[in-house]
Amino acid sequence: MPVLTYAENAGGKFKKSTFEAVSYARAIADQTNTSLTAISIGDVSADELNALGKYGADKVLNVSNDQLKQFVNQAYASVIADAAAKEGANIVVLSNSFSGRGLSPRIGVKLQAGIADGAVALPEISGDKFTVKKTAFSGKAFATVQLTSVNKVIALVPNSYKVVEKQTAGKVEDFNADIKQSDLKAIIKEIVQATDKVSLPDAEIVVSGGRGLKGPENWGMIEELAGLLGAATACSKPVSDADWRPHSEHVGQTGIAISPNLYIAVGISGAIQHLAGVSSSKVIVVINKDPEAPFFKVADYGIVGDAFEVVPKLIAAVKEYKATV
Amino acid sequence: MKILVCISNVPDTTTKITFTDNNTQFNTNGVQFILNPYDEIALSRAIELTEGGKGTITVINVGEVATEATIRKALAIGADDAVRINAKPHDAWFVSYQIADYVKQNAFDLILAGRESIDYNGSKVAGMLGELLDIPSVSIIKKLDIDGDKGIVEREIEGGKEILVIPFPFVAGAAEGVAEPKIPNMRGIMSARTKPLNVIEPVEVKVTSEILNYETPAPRGQVKLIAVDDSASLIGLLHTEARVI
């Protein structure tokens, strides 16, 4: 039975986390000796759809319908569950993105499927036993969850599985979705895109600031460093609580949990709640005046120094580095 | 307007997470349990929306008797009454089925939950409830206002936000920004003791997932400290040694 993966787009372009989910789903299809179908919903060009074959999709279902141009999770979940049923897929893979978090529970109920959300590794499959490692306790632990239902839904944490190119034919077919009007009750009135910003959950590099920056007026150097590195900006909870930065930038246990390749924390001491949300970053750099800051205990690289002295030096060094590559 | 707020009982955010029984059980020894911070935000917004007699708030929890301290806190903050479904919350599927079953017999205009519980981080209850009740759901909201018989909801999307108009009834998962958490005052604490807390028995639900065991992240290596005077060399190390830029 094939694996189905939802290929999520943003403004008609597939995201890196989509290619991660497709690569991950391909690996499951290979493990279970079956095929992989990807489903795309919305306005996506033929070239983009064909690109899914590059990451291992044997078949791409394209749902292009005026009523589904924008994401309404009730309707999208119906279409994806419908496609899973028609394809005979019993494993559905999504990204654990903001949209994926809205979709996976609805799809799970429709398919009467157990859900492994926050998955960070490929499933282990042995006979009837199907287990997936997922995050728990806000990054302070991992849980191995066994899915005991026939159908299964897995939502993969962005940046936790590498994109793997595995060329297949990637045949694109139109998929006629049966859209129920009752699924379209939520109306999108407005979309406000922060187009110049790197999306925090997807970001490979995150530059984050804390109270050590002393005030919102000092964020220019954080943004400049992030801009040079192609990074997203983030902050600690006290900073968003003080309205220095928006809540959407707060990373930590009660904010967004992230797992970038590189996390640069400037002026953040590293309270247990902050560490919980960022500790799965692959490399952590900490810049703090206080040598006793707990963050240094989990950092890979550290500079004990004043942010206002260190960050400008890093900005100059990145500029120099970029001039040589 | 009748609002239902789903609440869960979670380990305090400062808890050091450990396990027992060969890493198969969460070690609750010495752990203080609290009202899930996101649920607290949802409850706080519900209180703001019903201020001045504009509605009532019921809180619902799936949990054993030990969760009643958390339920009483929600009543002290300002909920009107509470329901406890007397069962260990096996997983989001189990919890959502129990709450959906209650809602099918007790209609609400608006159902709020936290975007996720800070223990199992699922973000599933809002979406599952929406599906089980066949009503719209928004899993992570940053803002919620009411306009007559509709909700105006701001939803976070990657790289921006969306504003949605959703007719009642619907389910939403509250995130930071929706409201400032409210602290119970003495009057609230006193009145919470006498507010109704109804205990009902669970319905039978098929099991679809089981947690087999837990592990904690591998300890990280020793930090490599770089002198301030040499801080520019960090960029070189991130390129040549860590290979992340």
Side-chain angles (χ1 to χ4, degrees), chain A residues 82-100:
Chain A
D82 191 22
K86 284 181 184 163
E87 290 289 303
N90 65 351
I91 300 172
V92 177
V93 174
L94 305 91
S95 174
N96 203 47
S97 60
F98 292 132
S99 301

Side-chain angles (χ1 to χ4, degrees), chain B residues 15-36:
Chain B
T15 304
K16 191 172 186 306
I17 303 296
T18 58
F19 304 99
T20 59
D21 296 352
N22 202 21
N23 288 334
T24 59
Q25 301 294 324
F26 171 56
N27 183 6
T28 56
N29 194 15
V31 172
Q32 164 136 19
F33 280 82
I34 59 166
L35 173 58
N36 182 42

